[in-house]
Amino acid sequence: SLAYIGAYAQAKGFQVKIINIGENTPFSFYYLKKIIEDYQPRLVGFSTYQRNFFYVLGIAKAIKEINPEIKTIIGGPQATFLPSTSLEQSPIDFICRTEGEQAFYFLAEKLRQGEKDLLVPGCSCKLEDGHFYDSPPIASFKTLDHLPSPYLTDGLIEFEKIEEAILLTSRGCPYQCIFCYTPNAFKQKVFFHSVERVIEEIDRITKRGIKKIWFADPSFSLQLERVEQLMEKIIEKNFSLEIWLETRADLINTELLKKMKRAGVKQIAYGLESASERVLACLKKKISLEQIKNAIRLTQQQGIGVELFTQFALPFETFADAIMTLKFLKDNKVLIQGNSNAQQTQIYFGTELSWNYKNYGIFPLENRRPAYLSIGDQYETSCLTYQEIQQIKSLWEKESLDGRKRKVS
């Protein structure tokens, strides 16, 4: 996502530097100071999540101490629906409420032109009085191909440092799952890249020696005919890929799976969430356990691995319901590893579960948390105590085949 924003800004004539700070990345404030002094940025942006927000605020504060003139902007899942007032005493100047390419560019252009009016479309902007003001929204893109590709733009991605390329062939989701942020962020619309654009990216990626691809679309096979064309093109080009993707269990069929297998798809992740039909209905996924069982069977018949996104401590889920989900994976021969490691439901801003948590029997453990943090996993439910939730977590950990090394958030 940062590389898409960077590619757009770079195409508009700006210099861009992306710093990726992870668990195993050497990083210090001395290193940060050196980067700021050497690169001398006018604008620094952060991709924000519940889990990294304290780090973002700490680094933004350090940047302001090095140079108070640098403007800071946050985007990402935590920022889209974040209450502005919660950051008025923070080192953050702008909160991006939409897709970041245009908003980041508009702000960068205002800074380049030396404008004093820094109200930027698609953002909440902190003005001289210290308060945030909301600007008009930016209209969503109708298609995506006009956006520069970070994989087709020189200097943004260090290919030699990555083993797996993450591709987005579409953005958005038309469904209404109560725990998910994406449908509300994209107003239940979906926008697509053309098959030709995706193939061009894959061609560039493979020529740089990368053979593993992760299609990160929320519902990869939403348009069956389009995905069939993409698989056919990959087969025709003989890219020799290893592909991971996620989609819904009601968006696949045998013929598509055969093409996926030939194209190099090694693993497909489906959203199960819960093996209790009662709980599943509450989540508004509009999918049945029978459809999920059928998708697992068809996928495994083609020799493609299956992962199931699963959660516990869902609304109105009992301890027995949670055990049913664990048993479902075993009964259907789905290995409990990778993304099949269950996690406690996270209650994030922008979800129906966050807006109406009381109606769903959610009881936050701490009502004095900072307003820029959502409930997250700090809650009990009308059916599960905190201790029972920890017990369920422990049961999943004991069954994990990989020590929960990789899981979604």
Side-chain angles (χ1 to χ4, degrees), residues 1-227:
S1 297
L2 290 176
Y4 272 100
I5 295 169
Y8 193 87
Q10 191 165 297
K12 298 292 185 179
F14 291 94
Q15 293 183 358
V16 176
K17 185 176 183 65
I18 295 175
I19 302 171
N20 192 16
I21 304 170
E23 288 181 355
N24 300 314
T25 310
F27 185 78
S28 67
F29 285 108
Y30 172 80
Y31 173 62
L32 174 66
K33 188 171 186 291
K34 189 174 188 312
I35 290 173
I36 297 299
E37 291 175 347
D38 290 349
Y39 195 71
Q40 297 185 351
R42 298 284 304 281
L43 175 62
V44 177
F46 298 90
S47 187
T48 55
Y49 299 82
Q50 175 92 350
R51 65 179 180 270
N52 76 349
F53 209 82
F54 286 127
Y55 296 102
V56 167
L57 293 177
I59 294 171
K61 182 174 182 290
I63 288 170
K64 290 285 191 179
E65 290 172 353
I66 297 167
N67 183 353
E69 298 303 313
I70 295 174
K71 297 298 182 182
T72 57
I73 178 171
I74 61 170
Q78 192 73 358
T80 306
F81 298 99
L82 182 84
S84 300
T85 53
S86 66
L87 294 181
E88 289 190 343
Q89 303 303 315
S90 80
I92 304 302
D93 299 306
F94 300 89
I95 306 170
C96 182
R97 305 296 194 180
T98 185
E99 293 159 278
E101 287 94 346
Q102 290 188 87
F104 192 85
Y105 160 64
F106 290 151
L107 176 54
E109 186 61 40
K110 279 179 174 283
L111 292 173
R112 179 160 65 181
Q113 298 296 332
E115 293 187 24
K116 298 297 183 183
D117 176 14
L118 292 180
L119 281 172
V120 183
C123 291
S124 295
C125 314
K126 187 188 290 181
L127 301 186
E128 291 183 356
D129 63 3
H131 297 298
F132 277 97
Y133 295 87
D134 295 334
S135 292
I138 298 173
S140 295
F141 304 123
K142 300 300 180 185
T143 60
L144 298 179
D145 277 4
H146 69 286
L147 296 173
S149 165
Y151 291 106
L152 304 175
T153 301
D154 292 331
L156 276 178
I157 293 178
E158 298 179 87
F159 287 92
E160 65 278 5
K161 292 186 178 181
I162 60 174
E163 296 180 356
E164 180 182 50
I166 301 174
L167 292 183
L168 283 166
T169 81
S170 66
R171 299 183 185 184
C173 180
Y175 300 100
Q176 293 179 296
C177 302
I178 66 171
F179 55 83
C180 189
Y181 145 98
T182 303
N184 294 317
F186 288 88
K187 298 179 174 60
Q188 289 184 259
K189 296 178 181 178
V190 184
F191 308 99
F192 298 91
H193 281 297
S194 67
V195 169
E196 292 74 21
R197 160 67 176 264
V198 179
I199 292 296
E200 186 181 4
E201 288 185 317
I202 295 174
D203 185 61
R204 175 71 179 276
I205 288 165
T206 56
K207 285 177 179 175
R208 298 299 295 268
I210 297 170
K211 296 296 184 179
K212 292 183 178 181
I213 287 179
W214 171 11
F215 286 119
D217 308 38
S219 301
F220 179 74
S221 54
L222 185 64
Q223 290 188 345
L224 286 174
E225 184 178 344
R226 172 180 171 274
V227 172

Side-chain angles (χ1 to χ4, degrees), residues 241-306:
L241 299 171
E242 292 185 21
I243 298 171
W244 181 97
L245 62 89
E246 62 179 284
T247 192
R248 281 174 60 101
D250 56 353
L251 296 178
I252 54 95
N253 57 51
T254 299
E255 290 307 309
L256 175 60
L257 288 168
K258 287 180 178 179
K259 290 179 181 178
M260 286 181 167
K261 175 65 175 179
R262 290 180 60 203
V265 174
K266 302 295 184 184
Q267 200 87 3
I268 300 178
Y270 299 109
L272 167 64
E273 321 314 341
S274 172
S276 163
E277 290 279 16
R278 177 180 55 79
V279 175
L280 203 55
C282 172
L283 302 181
K284 299 184 181 179
K285 281 185 69 75
K286 296 184 178 178
I287 203 163
S288 70
L289 287 181
E290 199 56 44
Q291 287 173 308
I292 295 170
K293 288 178 184 177
N294 184 57
I296 295 170
R297 179 177 54 81
L298 294 178
T299 305
Q300 291 174 339
Q301 283 177 352
Q302 298 305 318
I304 299 173
V306 173

